[in-house]
């Protein structure tokens, strides 16, 4: 797709307030493929004002009509799935098969599920002698990550729209082209002007401005714990609602009675999906010490099936690549044993292990 040189605000593409841009890099060859505007607080303010102006009418729209609009958006996303998949491959580096089935296909299903929910949800119900109304909170500021660029946008925007909220999106600076495609789909679907708005930009500038804007009623952020703390403090200080999905290390516990070969293979598949760039990946495999060496061998064998360029794409950026290399080197320095892959380029595969004296041992 051709990148837009403006922001999607109030139902139209309009020039950014400043001249700054962000380079979009294809991680496969590290070539710049596009530039998008680096949004300023002025751009965020314009988007929030548009969302606030649109909120009363959208909140008053019948749930069935909101459901129809979201269903129309789903249909546009489905019709453009090939373009979406190609864009995700270009800016994230996801292999084409994964881009098509997960990055383009899953958001269509998610959008459809919220269209159905909007049509069936009991926004008004009677409890005893009281009537309970479920009302939209207002303007939602959505800050999304790069690892599942369209899915994370849909997972925030669709439920907000279904509830009757309006949205201002600030996507990750590594994957803004997918966000622009979503804005195009919004426009094509006929969603009312101002109900959805897009501001591309850097987190410390546009993201911070969105989190602290007094016209935003709820901030939804997915990303690192460090940034989440800052956003939580900023939004909480303004007494606005906050939804945070932050980093973690998910444990994959394989009990002694499990089919070890099957369990290890499934665990490695989970970790390697999306080049390991999944917040819920099972990145700590815990096995009984009596089967530790067997598990290590099985893990190394399973990892060997992930060939860079086929089932495994590059990491999203040089910054992320260097970070992962640092973790590999740190693990080895702390006594881990490297059994597959390594920090060298291309570094598609890395599994390390370290002996523990406890009853379970992690594969690192």
């Amino acid at each position: 797709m051709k990148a837009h040189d403006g922001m999607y605000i109030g139902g139209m593409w309009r020039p950014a307030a400043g001249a700054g841009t962000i380079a979009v890099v294809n991680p496969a060859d590290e070539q710049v493929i596009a530039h998008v505007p680096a949004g300023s607080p002025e751009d965020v303010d314009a988007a929030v004002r548009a969302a606030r102006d649109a909120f009363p009418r959208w909140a008053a729209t019948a749930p069935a009509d909101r459901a129809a609009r979201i269903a129309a958006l789903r249909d546009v996303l489905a019709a453009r799935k090939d373009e979406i998949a190609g864009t995700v491959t270009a800016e994230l580096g996801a292999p084409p098969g994964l881009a098509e089935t997960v990055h383009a296909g899953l958001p269509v299903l998610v959008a459809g599920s919220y269209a159905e929910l909007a049509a069936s949800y009991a926004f008004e119900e009677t409890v005893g002698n009281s009537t309970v109304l479920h009302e939209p909170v207002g303007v939602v500021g959505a800050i999304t990550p790069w690892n599942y660029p369209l899915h994370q946008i849909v997972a925030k925007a669709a439920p907000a729209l279904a509830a009757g909220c309006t949205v201002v999106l600030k996507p990750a600076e590594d994957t803004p082209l997918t966000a622009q495609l979503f804005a195009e789909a919004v426009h094509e679907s006929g969603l009312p002007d101002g109900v959805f708005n897009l501001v591309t930009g850097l987190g410390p500038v546009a993201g911070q401005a969105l989190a602290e804007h007094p016209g935003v009623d709820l901030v939804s952020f997915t990303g690192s714990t460090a940034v989440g703390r800052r956003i939580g403090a900023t939004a909480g200080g303004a007494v606005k609602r906050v939804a945070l999905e932050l980093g973690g290390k998910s444990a994959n516990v394989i009990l002694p009675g499990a089919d070890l070969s099957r369990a290890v293979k499934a665990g490695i598949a989970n970790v390697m999906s999306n080049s390991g760039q999944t917040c819920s990946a099972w990145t700590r495999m815990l096995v009984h010490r009596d089967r530790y060496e067997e598990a290590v061998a099985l893990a190394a064998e399973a990892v060997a099936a992930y060939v860079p360029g086929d089932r495994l794409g590059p990491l999203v950026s040089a910054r992320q690549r260097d970070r992962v290399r640092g973790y590999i080197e740190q693990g080895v320095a702390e006594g881990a044993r490297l059994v597959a892959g390594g920090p060298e380029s291309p570094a598609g595969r890395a599994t390390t292990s370290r002996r523990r004296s406890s009853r379970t041992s992690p594969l690192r």
Side-chain angles (χ1 to χ4, degrees), residues 46-72:
V48 173
R49 288 178 183 275
R52 181 131 316 268
D53 289 344
F55 172 65
R57 184 176 179 181
W58 182 246
T61 299
D65 292 336
R66 295 202 298 262
R69 296 288 190 178
I70 298 170

Side-chain angles (χ1 to χ4, degrees), residues 92-309:
L92 176 65
L98 181 73
E100 180 180 349
T101 58
V102 175
H103 290 286
L106 181 59
V108 172
L109 299 177
V110 172
S113 71
Y114 281 108
E116 295 172 1
L117 183 60
S120 61
Y121 187 77
F123 288 95
E124 179 178 333
E125 55 186 336
T126 300
V127 180
N129 62 353
S130 300
T131 298
V132 178
L133 298 175
H134 298 268
E135 298 181 330
V137 67
V139 176
V140 173
I143 304 174
T144 55
W146 46 260
N147 59 339
Y148 290 90
L150 182 60
H151 169 67
Q152 288 289 340
I153 291 170
V154 172
K156 292 185 187 298
L161 297 174
C165 297
T166 53
V167 177
V168 177
L169 170 68
K170 204 299 286 183
E173 48 264 38
D174 290 307
T175 53
L177 301 182
T178 302
Q180 290 189 343
L181 265 179
F182 181 78
E184 289 181 2
V186 164
H187 192 82
E188 187 176 340
S189 70
L191 206 65
D193 296 349
V195 170
F196 173 84
N197 307 272
L198 168 68
V199 175
T200 54
L202 301 174
V205 180
Q208 182 71 18
L210 185 59
E212 64 188 15
H213 197 289
V216 172
D217 299 291
L218 183 151
V219 179
S220 177
F221 170 78
T222 299
S224 72
T225 302
V227 175
R229 286 195 184 100
R230 294 198 295 271
I231 288 176
T234 298
V239 197
K240 62 180 65 177
R241 301 186 188 191
V242 184
L244 302 175
E245 182 190 3
L246 309 179
K249 297 294 289 182
S250 303
N252 175 16
V253 181
I254 301 177
L255 299 178
D259 181 333
L260 189 63
S261 177
R262 181 180 177 185
V264 170
K265 185 176 181 180
I268 292 298
N270 176 277
V271 169
M272 301 299 282
S273 178
N274 206 38
S275 302
Q277 301 171 133
T278 303
C279 60
S280 57
W282 305 339
T283 47
R284 292 183 294 133
M285 187 179 294
L286 305 173
V287 300
H288 193 279
R289 65 180 181 180
D290 292 346
R291 306 193 72 181
Y292 174 78
E293 292 298 342
E294 182 183 358
V296 170
L298 287 168
E301 180 182 357
V303 166
Y306 290 84
V307 179

